[in-house]
């Protein structure tokens, strides 16, 4: 339904204008902070796995993709939270047939998802852990997924690259300064794809 929108017409127009203005001004990176998964994850021909994310607003997300292409918007990193898990993804409008996981061809942005600091992790149940295991081999644009730990993501932005590092803790039930760096990915200027760093 093209009338379904996450942003509403006024905010969507403002968002597009801001992206265009940023590109025209020569800003190196466009960092989009928002709260739900943006990257396509529902497999074509099957029911939408989670309609409470951008997958449930397919025409609205396509308008974003169309705008990025038409206005040649580059160096976009989508920064996401609110799903209590850690993800790193190339953002391809069609990751199933229009994307090459080896070269990153077809990706127009990257998405970096931070885990919850203290809320229960998303994949805490055996059923959800099984779903995550099934998703990994199907979603070729998914570079990293971990949903069983709390933690945070450290983002380092320079003119040359955006680098994200994920840090997890074993428990939030007791006070401790112990943490583990579990993943690190970088998006180089002009690449629109993630690689391990």
């Amino acid at each position: 339904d093209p009338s379904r929108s996450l942003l509403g017409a006024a905010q969507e127009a403002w968002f597009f204008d801001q992206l265009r203005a940023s590109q025209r001004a020569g800003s190196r990176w466009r960092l989009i902070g928002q709260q739900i998964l943006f990257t396509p994850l529902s497999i074509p021909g099957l029911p939408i796995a989670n309609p409470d994310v951008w997958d449930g607003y397919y025409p609205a997300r396509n308008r974003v993709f169309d705008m990025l292409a038409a206005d040649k918007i580059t160096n976009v990193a989508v920064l996401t939270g609110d799903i209590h898990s850690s993800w790193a993804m190339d953002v391809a409008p069609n990751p199933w047939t229009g994307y090459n996981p080896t070269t990153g061809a077809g990706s127009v942005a990257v998405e970096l998802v931070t885990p919850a600091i203290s809320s229960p992790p998303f994949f805490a149940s055996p059923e959800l852990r099984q779903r995550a295991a099934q998703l990994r081999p199907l979603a070729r644009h998914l570079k990293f997924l971990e949903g069983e730990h709390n933690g945070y993501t450290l983002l380092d932005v320079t003119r040359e690259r955006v680098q994200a590092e994920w840090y997890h803790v074993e428990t939030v039930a007791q006070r401790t300064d112990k943490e583990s760096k579990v993943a690190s990915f970088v998006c180089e200027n002009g690449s629109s794809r993630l690689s391990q760093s």
Side-chain angles (χ1 to χ4, degrees):
D1 180 356
S3 69
R4 280 173 52 82
S5 173
L6 278 167
L7 302 178
Q11 188 170 234
E12 184 176 287
W14 172 87
F15 175 49
F16 291 174
D17 286 345
Q18 295 302 306
L19 288 171
R20 291 182 189 108
S22 174
Q23 187 78 34
R24 281 194 306 267
S27 300
R28 181 57 59 95
W29 296 98
R30 272 139 291 286
L31 306 178
I32 302 169
Q34 53 98 55
Q35 69 273 30
I36 58 174
L37 288 175
F38 180 79
T39 303
L41 286 172
S42 293
I43 298 171
L46 296 179
I48 293 172
N50 184 359
D52 196 33
V53 297
W54 280 88
D55 270 356
Y57 297 82
Y58 192 82
R61 185 174 54 200
N62 278 348
R63 289 194 295 272
V64 176
F65 286 142
D66 291 346
M67 179 267 170
L68 294 177
D71 291 274
K72 297 178 175 58
I73 306 297
T74 60
N75 286 350
V76 176
V78 181
L79 310 178
T80 303
D82 199 35
I83 194 165
H84 302 192
S85 45
S86 303
W87 306 62
M89 296 172 280
D90 287 347
V91 180
N94 184 347
W96 317 110
T97 59
Y99 168 75
N100 183 319
T102 304
T103 65
S107 181
V108 299
V110 299
E111 184 167 11
L112 310 166
V113 183
T114 190
I117 293 173
S118 59
S119 297
F122 187 63
F123 297 134
S125 74
E127 177 188 350
L128 287 173
R129 280 196 292 276
Q130 183 180 4
R131 279 196 209 169
Q134 293 169 342
L135 177 63
R136 284 185 183 98
L138 296 174
R140 303 177 310 152
H141 54 307
L142 175 61
K143 304 301 180 182
F144 172 62
L145 171 58
E146 203 286 342
E148 299 180 44
H149 290 90
N150 294 94
Y152 63 94
T153 305
L154 180 65
L155 195 66
D156 186 31
V157 182
T158 70
R159 288 189 59 78
E160 291 75 32
R161 50 105 180 111
V162 169
Q163 180 170 326
E165 297 176 342
W166 282 260
Y167 292 85
H168 290 166
V169 296
E170 282 303 313
T171 180
V172 295
Q174 62 188 31
R175 187 181 298 273
T176 178
D177 63 354
K178 293 180 181 176
E179 64 182 14
S180 300
K181 180 178 169 183
V182 296
S184 180
F185 286 86
V186 63
C187 177
E188 302 286 350
N189 173 40
S191 73
S192 295
R193 68 182 294 254
L194 291 172
S195 57
Q196 283 191 305
S197 59

